[in-house]
Amino acid sequence: MLRVNDMLPVVVVHGGAGHIPKDRSEMSTAGVCSAARAGYTILRGGGSSMDAVLEAVSILENNPCFNAGCGSVLNIKGEVEMDAIVMDGLTLGSGAVSAVRNIANPIQLARLVMDKTSHSCLTAEGASQFARSMGVPEVSPESLITEYSHMRWAKNLAPDANPVESQMGKMGTVGAVAVDSEGNIACATSTGGMLNKMEGRVGDTPCIGSGGYADNQVGAVSTTGHGEAIMKVTLARLILFHMEQGQSVEAASDLGLAYMKSRVSGLGGVVSVDPQGRWAARFSSLQMSWAAAQTETLHYGLYVGEHFTQSLGGAPLTGSTAHLASKPLG
Ligand code: ASP
């Protein structure tokens, strides 16, 4: 049996809750697995949980398969506007950006907001000016638009667009939580938001306690799903509240998601960790691509009930951490 400290470090990654078209599901799973591997490599080398979540989320932002960075969904005008947040569980420091348009990695700008300003969130043009002052390279807004995101946008503008079908493929927000070998906890979440959103719409992702929260004393959560619903219940903090009340990381995640579903009809998903390295990847949507790396084992899944494992090639497991990542929520 694993002792609690043997379970550190750990990183858990998601690639968005929603309804992922069949032809994109393999890419989505491969994407979260490689991001979890990269985050774990940092942790295994003694790196911090903050560096691990930043690396995992940056990789997913650079992957055009996800709704973050290049590949972000488009707003009603056919433009990219992205939101991101990071939080450091040691200091409770956080940094966020919203409605940013011309940078490749909003998550790295969010970290700069945390590290280099006295503020928690910068938006739109002010965030761009700050990026420039920090020497963050600008990219053309067009370079963030993929053929797929343009196709989804155009399809949903059509007067006969089916609102149910239009949910297909629109979610793919990315996020990660991690605990490092020092016991420090961090979270990061990044998104292009909701498909065909109004210009200037800011979702849950950059809002502390909604898109993510990290506290060394309790744990960390990164969320995905219907942003307006997530904000109504401050999903990340709600889950941590349940953990503070003694619930396991998995039960707390389920309680938060079930409350959001029953109270405001919102669907979504989360990845969560506690300070001991226990983790969960839970969702009330049809699918959520997720991957976790711990004790030289990669765990991953996409549909409800799926939980595959693979060796990361290091020392073999000496016990089982046996998380059922996605049994259906009641
Ligand atoms: N939560 C994101 C938003 O509403 C979307 C998502 O997670 O898919 O902006």
Side-chain angles (χ1 to χ4, degrees):
M1 191 63 195
L2 284 179
R3 287 177 314 236
V4 156
N5 282 350
D6 294 338
M7 289 162 63
L8 299 180
V10 59
V11 59
V12 196
V13 169
H14 70 76
H19 189 169
I20 300 159
K22 256 210 160 66
D23 58 336
R24 296 180 77 79
S25 56
E26 253 177 51
M27 286 188 284
S28 186
T29 300
V32 287
C33 285
S34 69
R37 280 175 186 274
Y40 191 67
T41 300
I42 288 180
L43 294 173
R44 192 165 44 192
S48 71
S49 52
M50 180 54 72
D51 287 344
V53 294
L54 252 286
E55 177 71 6
V57 168
S58 299
I59 285 173
L60 293 168
E61 287 178 334
N62 294 339
N63 184 332
C65 180
F66 296 97
N67 172 17
C70 175
S72 286
V73 299
L74 307 184
N75 69 13
I76 193 77
K77 289 173 71 185
E79 299 162 343
V80 166
E81 287 181 291
M82 302 167 291
D83 301 334
I85 190 167
V86 295
M87 186 158 180
D88 175 351
L90 176 65
T91 61
L92 301 190
S94 66
V97 292
S98 66
V100 293
R101 292 168 180 259
N102 54 357
I103 54 164
N105 294 108
I107 203 69
Q108 290 173 18
L109 189 58
R111 186 183 188 168
L112 287 170
V113 171
M114 177 176 78
D115 288 346
K116 305 284 184 199
T117 79
S118 56
H119 302 305
S120 292
C121 186
L122 291 177
T123 193
E125 187 45 36
S128 295
Q129 278 171 27
F130 172 65
R132 250 171 261 135
S133 75
M134 288 284 113
V136 175
E138 278 184 26
V139 299
S140 76
E142 295 73 41
S143 68
L144 301 173
I145 301 178
T146 61
E147 233 169 75
Y148 183 77
S149 63
H150 191 267
M151 182 273 287
R152 303 273 354 140
W153 169 75
K155 207 166 168 184
N156 283 286
L157 286 180
D160 59 345
N162 174 334
V164 175
E165 204 201 302
S166 74
Q167 300 296 312
M168 284 282 285
K170 95 170 155 46
M171 299 204 188
T173 289
V174 304
V177 291
V179 192
D180 59 33
S181 40
E182 312 255 289
N184 288 320
I185 302 182
C187 71
T189 313
S190 180
T191 188
M194 299 297 280
L195 179 61
N196 294 33
K197 64 188 179 182
M198 287 173 70
E199 187 180 16
R201 178 264 189 186
V202 174
D204 59 304
T205 300
C207 298
I208 188 166
S210 291
Y213 200 88
D215 181 347
N216 273 12
Q217 295 180 9
V218 193
V221 179
S222 167
T223 69
T224 169
H226 185 219
E228 281 69 12
I230 291 172
M231 283 189 276
K232 283 175 186 158
V233 303
T234 54
L235 183 61
R237 195 63 192 79
L238 176 62
I239 289 169
L240 292 174
F241 163 77
H242 286 302
M243 287 163 62
E244 283 169 320
Q245 300 303 304
Q247 297 289 343
S248 71
V249 67
E250 182 179 281
S253 302
D254 285 353
L255 281 167
L257 287 166
Y259 182 73
M260 183 166 86
K261 190 172 173 185
S262 66
R263 187 72 176 84
V264 295
S265 306
L267 298 181
V270 298
V271 289
S272 317
V273 282
D274 74 10
Q276 285 73 43
R278 289 179 285 246
W279 59 271
R282 308 287 297 169
F283 50 100
S284 53
S285 52
L286 199 59
Q287 289 148 289
M288 180 179 83
S289 56
W290 63 269
Q294 183 178 48
T295 55
E296 301 305 329
T297 303
L298 182 71
H299 306 253
Y300 60 97
L302 176 68
Y303 289 92
V304 169
E306 271 185 1
H307 184 163
F308 302 108
T309 55
Q310 208 179 85
S311 169
L312 281 168
L317 268 179
T318 52
S320 171
T321 52
H323 302 269
L324 183 59
S326 47
K327 46 176 196 278
L329 292 172

